[in-house]
Amino acid sequence: MEKNNGYREPQKNDNFFNKNPLLVFAIFSIITVIIFKSFFEDGSIGESGISPSAQTQSISYYELKKLAEAGKIEYVAIGEANIKATAKGEPKTTFVAKRVIPDETLVPMLEKQNVKYGAYTEKNWLTDLVFGWVLPVFIFFAIWMFLTSRMQKNIGGGILGIGSMKKLMNSEKPKVKFADVAGNDEAKEEVEELIEFLRNPDRYIKLGAKIPKGVLLVGPPGTGKTLLAKAVAGEAEVPFFSVSGSSFIEMFVGVGASRVRDLFEQAKKEAPSIIFIDELDAIGKSRAIGHIGGNDEREQTLNQMLAEMDGFGAESPVIVLAATNRPEILDPALLRPGRFDRQVLVDKPDFKGRVEILKVHAKNVKLSDDTNLEEIAKLTAGLAGADLANIINEAALLAGRENQESVSQQNLKEAVERAIAGLEKKSRRISPKEKRIVAYHESGHAVISQITKGSKKVNKVSIIPRGLAALGYTLNTPEENKYLVQKHELIAEVDVLLGGRAAEEIFIGEISTGAANDLERATDIIKSMIMYYGMSEVAGLMVLEKQRNTFLGGGMGQTKEYSEKMSEELDSYIKAKLTERYEAVKEKLKLYRDAMETMTAELLEVEVLEKERVEEIIRSFEDANKIVRESDEDELHSPETSKGKDA
Ligand code: ADP
Ligand code: ZN
């Protein structure tokens, strides 16, 4: 307790409870005692109906017995040491006498006289103390402890120093190994070196090497991010501290920041260790997103986290792994060097990955000889590892219900159907028709980005649905340390975005809703080129829009600083520009038709294409058709190339 108080300084978000725990405790104790007392003593419960308002008179036992024998008594209450008798008639008088014990004649006499009798529990100072004070205080204390441990687990040593975070912080030494994480080979490769760091931190520290601090695991739910983080801890045999970002918001109200501090304190003490933060976006949402002054609490928690990550150096090898499904909404501050500067994609498994995951989980159940996990993998495109684990388990349950010896292929198929029916509403599983559209659409993006000078090159193309919005995606490699973007690069980006829609039009013959987001982004780029970067004829060097203040949340009270006429011209210019680019992109795709067909067919087969394969398809097509395109390498292109062109 002392230790905890030692490092805990007053916090802005410390509320009344945290500042005055003793005072609050005392007040609540007294209230509880009053409630308790009034509840248990009112109406003299336990005194067998003898009203406390009646007159009480002490007499001898002998006298009391005589009164009863004379038929003057209506009711007798027998206590351990005393006996009370209520006289007949009004006003009600109660006689109290010390009992003579034993006296076997008392009850028979009362029976004979037809006097009602009963027993009562006497109050003495001890029971009074216990029931009146100790018990209510104790009950109150128990409730208090329960609430505080739930709500804040630990606020600098907890209320009265009890309920230390140590037992509440979720620390374990996982037994999970890399072999338990199937598929995801790239992700595994990327985190592999962390294990080495954690096993032999001294080796690196001695050399002055900086051990990575933060790694962001990015991917949809159920793809094994937690599992992977645990496996790193399991392989390195280090403690694993896990918290969920949303718990900071939901459970540690008012104390998020000090919880973060405790977490890091604890992890450092047990270093080398791993901190795993699930749902990082719950605390790490960009401060620019959302309402003004929105969430003080969340911001403080986030700031504390940033401070903690900056605060520990090589001397305490703690690696923070965090998971998120939406890296794009994270506050950029979180992603700076020294924080979560590494991102590892943990994606939904492709066909091969699904087979492997099914195999890992099938180890736990008894499969019959007729099972074919590859067939199951084919049926489950778009499902995550967690779904596959569920399918195996569901199949085992079905087999159990039928009292079978082992799990059959039929059980597995039925489990797949159930899982899909259940998921249909949540995450979509795409139909073959949609799959074809998506494959062409993504191939369109990929081909254009591969062949266009100045575009970011393809890293991966996938038609595995990712989250709710995207049915497929083309991942481009971000360029490192790029501060300036040239005009032709902006145009290239527009082209790449339009590539999806153009491919649908050419190869499917009809366009779909799938390009909405692409078109929005393409429009935005053209707009900013005109209005902000002075890259068009229509506005020239005139800046039509000041840099948006993201802190005020875009869209709020933006004043137009140009004429209606200009506004009309802008609209038609943007439209014309997009059309022009779209036509150009369509021409390019038509030229690369065979490459498009090859890529789409392969995507439909294996679902994911890596960078190397994309390059190969394009290169062999170009070689076969003797197409030479502008290379990205000639960095300083002659002024002529860009002259005469405008946004
Ligand atoms: P996430 O953290 O990405 O939401 P989890 O790691 O909690 O996903 O995954 C939930 C469960 O799904 C795991 O405990 C495991 O049983 C199963 N699972 C997910 N991905 C895999 C995988 N790649 N290999 C084996 N099992 C997996
Ligand atoms: Zn697209």
Side-chain angles (χ1 to χ4, degrees), residues 180-184 219-228 276 278 323 346 349 353 356-357 360-361 384-387 389:
D180 300 314
V181 188
N184 270 331
T223 46
K225 297 183 291 297
T226 313
L227 192 69
L228 187 65
F276 177 68
D278 205 355
V346 184
E356 280 170 36
I357 295 172
V360 163
H361 290 277
D387 305 322

Short mmCIF file of all heavy atoms in Angstrom, two decimals, residues 180-184 219-228 276 278 323 346 349 353 356-357 360-361 384-387 389, ligand 1:
data_model
loop_
_atom_site.label_atom_id
_atom_site.label_comp_id
_atom_site.label_asym_id
_atom_site.label_seq_id
_atom_site.Cartn_x
_atom_site.Cartn_y
_atom_site.Cartn_z
N ASP A 180 0.33 -23.81 -32.16
CA ASP A 180 -1.12 -23.72 -31.98
C ASP A 180 -1.74 -22.67 -32.88
O ASP A 180 -2.96 -22.61 -33.03
CB ASP A 180 -1.46 -23.39 -30.52
CG ASP A 180 -0.92 -24.44 -29.57
OD1 ASP A 180 -1.11 -25.62 -29.88
OD2 ASP A 180 -0.32 -24.08 -28.55
N VAL A 181 -0.89 -21.80 -33.41
CA VAL A 181 -1.40 -20.77 -34.32
C VAL A 181 -1.18 -21.27 -35.74
O VAL A 181 -0.05 -21.36 -36.20
CB VAL A 181 -0.65 -19.44 -34.13
CG1 VAL A 181 -1.32 -18.33 -34.94
CG2 VAL A 181 -0.61 -19.05 -32.66
N ALA A 182 -2.27 -21.60 -36.40
CA ALA A 182 -2.14 -22.15 -37.75
C ALA A 182 -2.27 -21.04 -38.78
O ALA A 182 -2.84 -20.00 -38.50
CB ALA A 182 -3.21 -23.20 -37.98
N GLY A 183 -1.76 -21.30 -39.97
CA GLY A 183 -1.81 -20.28 -41.02
C GLY A 183 -1.02 -19.06 -40.58
O GLY A 183 -0.09 -19.17 -39.78
N ASN A 184 -1.41 -17.89 -41.07
CA ASN A 184 -0.79 -16.65 -40.60
C ASN A 184 0.74 -16.68 -40.57
O ASN A 184 1.36 -16.12 -39.67
CB ASN A 184 -1.26 -16.35 -39.17
CG ASN A 184 -2.51 -15.50 -39.19
OD1 ASN A 184 -2.71 -14.73 -40.13
ND2 ASN A 184 -3.33 -15.66 -38.18
N GLY A 219 -6.27 -6.76 -37.68
CA GLY A 219 -7.05 -7.76 -38.39
C GLY A 219 -8.44 -7.89 -37.81
O GLY A 219 -8.70 -7.44 -36.70
N PRO A 220 -9.34 -8.51 -38.57
CA PRO A 220 -10.72 -8.67 -38.12
C PRO A 220 -10.80 -9.55 -36.88
O PRO A 220 -9.85 -10.27 -36.57
CB PRO A 220 -11.41 -9.33 -39.30
CG PRO A 220 -10.41 -9.50 -40.37
CD PRO A 220 -9.08 -9.12 -39.88
N PRO A 221 -11.93 -9.51 -36.19
CA PRO A 221 -12.09 -10.31 -34.99
C PRO A 221 -11.97 -11.80 -35.29
O PRO A 221 -12.35 -12.25 -36.36
CB PRO A 221 -13.52 -10.00 -34.51
CG PRO A 221 -14.01 -8.87 -35.33
CD PRO A 221 -13.12 -8.70 -36.51
N GLY A 222 -11.44 -12.52 -34.33
CA GLY A 222 -11.41 -13.98 -34.43
C GLY A 222 -10.33 -14.54 -35.33
O GLY A 222 -10.32 -15.72 -35.63
N THR A 223 -9.40 -13.69 -35.76
CA THR A 223 -8.37 -14.19 -36.65
C THR A 223 -7.14 -14.67 -35.89
O THR A 223 -6.14 -15.05 -36.51
CB THR A 223 -7.94 -13.11 -37.65
OG1 THR A 223 -7.73 -11.89 -36.94
CG2 THR A 223 -9.01 -12.90 -38.69
N GLY A 224 -7.19 -14.59 -34.56
CA GLY A 224 -6.10 -15.16 -33.78
C GLY A 224 -5.08 -14.14 -33.30
O GLY A 224 -3.93 -14.50 -33.05
N LYS A 225 -5.49 -12.90 -33.15
CA LYS A 225 -4.55 -11.89 -32.66
C LYS A 225 -4.16 -12.16 -31.21
O LYS A 225 -2.98 -12.14 -30.86
CB LYS A 225 -5.16 -10.48 -32.81
CG LYS A 225 -5.43 -10.11 -34.26
CD LYS A 225 -5.97 -8.70 -34.39
CE LYS A 225 -7.38 -8.53 -33.85
NZ LYS A 225 -8.37 -9.34 -34.55
N THR A 226 -5.17 -12.43 -30.40
CA THR A 226 -4.90 -12.73 -29.00
C THR A 226 -4.06 -14.00 -28.91
O THR A 226 -3.10 -14.08 -28.15
CB THR A 226 -6.23 -12.94 -28.25
OG1 THR A 226 -7.12 -11.88 -28.60
CG2 THR A 226 -6.01 -12.98 -26.76
N LEU A 227 -4.45 -14.96 -29.72
CA LEU A 227 -3.75 -16.24 -29.73
C LEU A 227 -2.27 -16.05 -30.08
O LEU A 227 -1.38 -16.61 -29.44
CB LEU A 227 -4.42 -17.15 -30.76
CG LEU A 227 -4.04 -18.62 -30.76
CD1 LEU A 227 -4.57 -19.29 -29.51
CD2 LEU A 227 -4.57 -19.32 -32.00
N LEU A 228 -2.02 -15.22 -31.07
CA LEU A 228 -0.65 -14.97 -31.52
C LEU A 228 0.16 -14.28 -30.41
O LEU A 228 1.30 -14.65 -30.13
CB LEU A 228 -0.67 -14.11 -32.78
CG LEU A 228 0.66 -13.89 -33.49
CD1 LEU A 228 1.19 -15.21 -34.03
CD2 LEU A 228 0.53 -12.88 -34.62
N PHE A 276 -0.64 -7.14 -23.40
CA PHE A 276 -1.51 -7.26 -24.57
C PHE A 276 -2.74 -6.38 -24.36
O PHE A 276 -3.45 -6.53 -23.37
CB PHE A 276 -1.92 -8.71 -24.79
CG PHE A 276 -2.88 -8.89 -25.94
CD1 PHE A 276 -2.47 -8.68 -27.24
CD2 PHE A 276 -4.20 -9.23 -25.71
CE1 PHE A 276 -3.36 -8.82 -28.30
CE2 PHE A 276 -5.09 -9.39 -26.76
CZ PHE A 276 -4.66 -9.18 -28.06
N ASP A 278 -6.18 -5.55 -26.00
CA ASP A 278 -7.15 -5.88 -27.02
C ASP A 278 -7.99 -4.63 -27.29
O ASP A 278 -8.12 -3.77 -26.41
CB ASP A 278 -8.04 -7.02 -26.51
CG ASP A 278 -8.64 -7.82 -27.66
OD1 ASP A 278 -8.43 -7.42 -28.81
OD2 ASP A 278 -9.31 -8.83 -27.40
N ALA A 323 -4.11 -5.08 -30.26
CA ALA A 323 -4.90 -5.58 -31.38
C ALA A 323 -5.95 -4.55 -31.77
O ALA A 323 -6.52 -3.88 -30.91
CB ALA A 323 -5.59 -6.89 -30.99
N VAL A 346 -2.85 -9.52 -39.32
CA VAL A 346 -3.33 -10.87 -38.99
C VAL A 346 -4.66 -11.00 -39.70
O VAL A 346 -5.69 -10.54 -39.22
CB VAL A 346 -3.51 -11.03 -37.47
CG1 VAL A 346 -3.91 -12.46 -37.14
CG2 VAL A 346 -2.23 -10.68 -36.74
N PRO A 349 -7.90 -16.26 -42.87
CA PRO A 349 -7.06 -17.26 -43.53
C PRO A 349 -7.50 -17.52 -44.96
O PRO A 349 -8.68 -17.48 -45.27
CB PRO A 349 -7.27 -18.50 -42.67
CG PRO A 349 -8.59 -18.31 -42.01
CD PRO A 349 -8.75 -16.84 -41.82
N GLY A 353 -4.54 -21.71 -45.24
CA GLY A 353 -4.60 -21.37 -43.83
C GLY A 353 -5.79 -22.03 -43.15
O GLY A 353 -5.68 -22.52 -42.02
N GLU A 356 -5.12 -25.60 -42.41
CA GLU A 356 -4.22 -25.76 -41.25
C GLU A 356 -4.94 -25.50 -39.93
O GLU A 356 -4.76 -26.22 -38.96
CB GLU A 356 -3.02 -24.81 -41.38
CG GLU A 356 -1.96 -25.37 -42.31
CD GLU A 356 -0.90 -24.33 -42.64
OE1 GLU A 356 -0.58 -23.52 -41.74
OE2 GLU A 356 -0.43 -24.31 -43.78
N ILE A 357 -5.76 -24.46 -39.92
CA ILE A 357 -6.50 -24.16 -38.68
C ILE A 357 -7.44 -25.31 -38.34
O ILE A 357 -7.52 -25.75 -37.20
CB ILE A 357 -7.28 -22.84 -38.82
CG1 ILE A 357 -6.29 -21.67 -38.98
CG2 ILE A 357 -8.17 -22.61 -37.61
CD1 ILE A 357 -6.94 -20.35 -39.29
N VAL A 360 -5.46 -28.05 -36.79
CA VAL A 360 -5.07 -27.79 -35.40
C VAL A 360 -6.22 -28.10 -34.45
O VAL A 360 -6.05 -28.76 -33.43
CB VAL A 360 -4.63 -26.31 -35.23
CG1 VAL A 360 -4.62 -25.91 -33.76
CG2 VAL A 360 -3.25 -26.11 -35.83
N HIS A 361 -7.41 -27.64 -34.83
CA HIS A 361 -8.53 -27.85 -33.92
C HIS A 361 -9.09 -29.26 -33.98
O HIS A 361 -9.68 -29.74 -33.02
CB HIS A 361 -9.62 -26.81 -34.18
CG HIS A 361 -9.18 -25.43 -33.75
ND1 HIS A 361 -9.27 -25.01 -32.44
CD2 HIS A 361 -8.60 -24.42 -34.43
CE1 HIS A 361 -8.78 -23.79 -32.36
NE2 HIS A 361 -8.37 -23.40 -33.54
N ALA A 384 -13.23 -16.70 -40.21
CA ALA A 384 -12.01 -16.50 -39.43
C ALA A 384 -11.68 -17.75 -38.63
O ALA A 384 -12.51 -18.67 -38.53
CB ALA A 384 -12.19 -15.32 -38.49
N GLY A 385 -10.48 -17.77 -38.06
CA GLY A 385 -10.04 -18.92 -37.28
C GLY A 385 -11.01 -19.30 -36.17
O GLY A 385 -11.27 -20.48 -35.94
N ALA A 386 -11.56 -18.28 -35.52
CA ALA A 386 -12.48 -18.56 -34.42
C ALA A 386 -13.72 -19.29 -34.94
O ALA A 386 -14.24 -20.19 -34.28
CB ALA A 386 -12.88 -17.27 -33.73
N ASP A 387 -14.19 -18.91 -36.13
CA ASP A 387 -15.35 -19.58 -36.71
C ASP A 387 -15.02 -21.04 -37.00
O ASP A 387 -15.85 -21.93 -36.79
CB ASP A 387 -15.77 -18.89 -38.02
CG ASP A 387 -16.02 -17.41 -37.83
OD1 ASP A 387 -16.57 -17.05 -36.77
OD2 ASP A 387 -15.67 -16.63 -38.72
N ALA A 389 -12.75 -22.91 -35.55
CA ALA A 389 -12.67 -23.63 -34.27
C ALA A 389 -14.07 -24.01 -33.81
O ALA A 389 -14.31 -25.12 -33.33
CB ALA A 389 -11.96 -22.78 -33.23
P1 ADP B 1 -8.81 -12.22 -32.07
O1 ADP B 1 -7.98 -11.84 -30.89
O2 ADP B 1 -8.13 -11.94 -33.37
O3 ADP B 1 -10.20 -11.69 -32.05
P2 ADP B 1 -8.56 -14.82 -30.94
O4 ADP B 1 -7.11 -14.95 -30.86
O5 ADP B 1 -9.29 -14.47 -29.71
O6 ADP B 1 -8.97 -13.80 -32.09
O7 ADP B 1 -9.16 -16.15 -31.57
C1 ADP B 1 -10.21 -16.84 -30.98
C2 ADP B 1 -10.04 -18.33 -31.12
O8 ADP B 1 -10.11 -18.72 -32.48
C3 ADP B 1 -8.69 -18.82 -30.67
O9 ADP B 1 -8.66 -19.05 -29.31
C4 ADP B 1 -8.52 -20.09 -31.48
O10 ADP B 1 -9.19 -21.17 -30.88
C5 ADP B 1 -9.22 -19.77 -32.77
N1 ADP B 1 -8.28 -19.30 -33.78
C6 ADP B 1 -8.27 -18.09 -34.39
N2 ADP B 1 -7.27 -18.00 -35.27
C7 ADP B 1 -6.59 -19.15 -35.21
C8 ADP B 1 -5.43 -19.66 -35.88
N3 ADP B 1 -4.77 -18.94 -36.80
N4 ADP B 1 -5.01 -20.89 -35.56
C9 ADP B 1 -5.67 -21.63 -34.66
N5 ADP B 1 -6.74 -21.21 -33.99
C10 ADP B 1 -7.23 -19.99 -34.26
#
